[in-house]
Amino acid sequence: MKRPAVFFDRDGVLNEDSGYVFEASQLRWIPGAAEAVKAVNRAGYWAFVVTNQSGVARGLYEETHVRALHNHMKKELAKLGAHIDAFEYCPYHPLGSVERYRRVSNRRKPAPGMITDLIHRFQVDARRSFLVGDKQTDLEAARRAGVTGHLFSGVNLEEFVRFLLKLQRN
């Protein structure tokens, strides 16, 4: 049976975007982030993260760093009774300095690949799903995937997501 999902961008939505965050010591949660994820979980939605990580293509860090940070985030969220069902990231960039990551990818936002992959893998009800992002590229990826996109201002993620969940019920 299909379920709706909330697709969260990572940097600037769940955590502060301080430029190429790839270590746990750099992670600063946005106010209300864990509570927002928990609200999504309680509402019966899938909770996903879709994030461009061009720092890999630029040679600033490795994919292992991205996965380690996501594991750290999972553990931090679990302490508060929240969980992300899947983390998706795109390490590619067409101007990357690391040759194996230098390419155009249908998974790099504004392309919809990460979102559409999750929709198919998890049997997501796209009509009832939405994305929360902080850039126009996030919203464009959502639109291309057939999902509603909402631009987050960076103030309090819990309040923003609870409002969106309430809209979905009406």
Side-chain angles (χ1 to χ4, degrees), residues 56-110:
V56 174
R58 297 173 195 279
L60 301 174
Y61 49 89
E62 304 280 331
E63 284 190 78
T64 55
H65 292 110
V66 176
R67 290 190 296 270
L69 180 60
H70 291 167
N71 285 332
H72 172 74
M73 292 174 80
K74 286 179 192 178
K75 289 175 186 173
E76 291 291 305
L77 289 168
K79 290 177 187 176
L80 298 168
H83 70 274
I84 296 292
D85 294 293
F87 284 84
E88 293 290 322
Y89 67 93
C90 180
Y92 305 106
H93 192 282
L95 302 177
S97 58
V98 178
E99 187 175 343
R100 72 183 186 135
Y101 294 108
R102 186 184 319 125
R103 68 178 173 104
V104 173
S105 171
N106 74 335
R107 293 176 53 80
R108 180 173 173 73
K109 295 179 284 181

Side-chain angles (χ1 to χ4, degrees), residues 4-61:
V6 175
F7 300 88
F8 292 99
D9 177 48
R10 196 188 82 184
D11 302 327
V13 174
L14 291 175
N15 60 277
E16 293 177 10
D17 188 354
S18 56
Y20 300 107
V21 174
F22 67 94
E23 293 178 322
S25 64
Q26 301 170 314
L27 183 71
R28 302 287 178 266
W29 292 97
I30 290 284
E35 296 82 1
V37 173
K38 192 171 184 175
V40 166
N41 299 152
R42 284 189 173 157
Y45 284 57
W46 296 107
F48 300 127
V49 172
V50 289
T51 178
N52 287 343
Q53 291 298 309
S54 69
V56 174
R58 297 173 195 279
L60 301 174
Y61 49 89

